[in-house]
Amino acid sequence: MQDILIVYDSKTGNTEKVAKALAEAAGERCVLAQVDAAPAADDFAVVVAGYWVDKGAPNAKMKKYLENLHGKKVVLFQTLGADPASDHAVSSLVNAGVLMNKDCKVLGTLSIRGAIDPALIAMMRKMPAGSPSPESEARWAAAASHPDAADLAKAKSFMQGFLAMYDRFLKMM
């Protein structure tokens, strides 16, 4: 039975890699789709929604998708250039959660570091003197190799854990 929809938007391929890792872990239980080609969410028990972080929130296409969800159990996952345990990562997940209607329930969240779009880095390097900071350059360098094999393994483990929890919950009902 396909009870999980994994829907994502990806600009540089980071979010797509994570979505595919999640789908691999979910196996035949899921349908994987880009946000522009996603089937109706109503046909699935759980929507796993993935996006790249843009200015502390989901990118525009995923914002619109999340705003139109109703009455769904949702798992949010995001890719971002910052540390996945940073305040920025946490607030970006919160900003995604508040986009959804009150009748949706967030069942889990996952943040994975991803390489930053080279075009964005080039633009930031053209800013006035003093920009970018050495801290920004270090963050960009740290993100450049992500998502890596360990990140994708983390995503698979997350999905396996989520499915085990979700299945136990269903048996109790």
Side-chain angles (χ1 to χ4, degrees), residues 14-68:
N14 296 331
T15 310
E16 181 178 27
K17 288 177 187 175
V18 176
K20 287 180 176 180
L22 293 167
E24 184 180 328
E28 294 181 5
R29 291 183 69 168
C30 81
V31 170
L32 175 66
Q34 292 182 353
V35 69
D36 292 334
D42 293 343
D43 297 337
F44 299 88
V46 177
V47 174
V48 179
Y51 54 88
W52 51 278
V53 173
D54 185 21
K55 300 178 194 93
N59 63 285
K61 285 182 184 179
M62 192 52 68
K63 275 184 185 179
K64 184 176 179 180
Y65 184 85
L66 292 172
E67 289 169 347
N68 289 307

Side-chain angles (χ1 to χ4, degrees), residues 31-116:
V31 170
L32 175 66
Q34 292 182 353
V35 69
D36 292 334
D42 293 343
D43 297 337
F44 299 88
V46 177
V47 174
V48 179
Y51 54 88
W52 51 278
V53 173
D54 185 21
K55 300 178 194 93
N59 63 285
K61 285 182 184 179
M62 192 52 68
K63 275 184 185 179
K64 184 176 179 180
Y65 184 85
L66 292 172
E67 289 169 347
N68 289 307
L69 282 179
H70 290 279
K72 299 309 302 177
K73 295 175 183 78
V74 181
V75 174
L76 298 169
F77 74 95
Q78 64 184 11
T79 58
L80 70 165
D83 182 330
S86 67
D87 289 344
H88 179 65
V90 172
S91 65
S92 296
L93 286 166
V94 170
N95 290 337
V98 299
L99 292 170
M100 292 183 291
N101 290 287
K102 301 273 187 238
D103 60 355
C104 290
K105 304 286 185 223
V106 176
L107 301 182
T109 61
L110 174 67
S111 291
I112 298 287
R113 181 171 266 176
I116 300 167

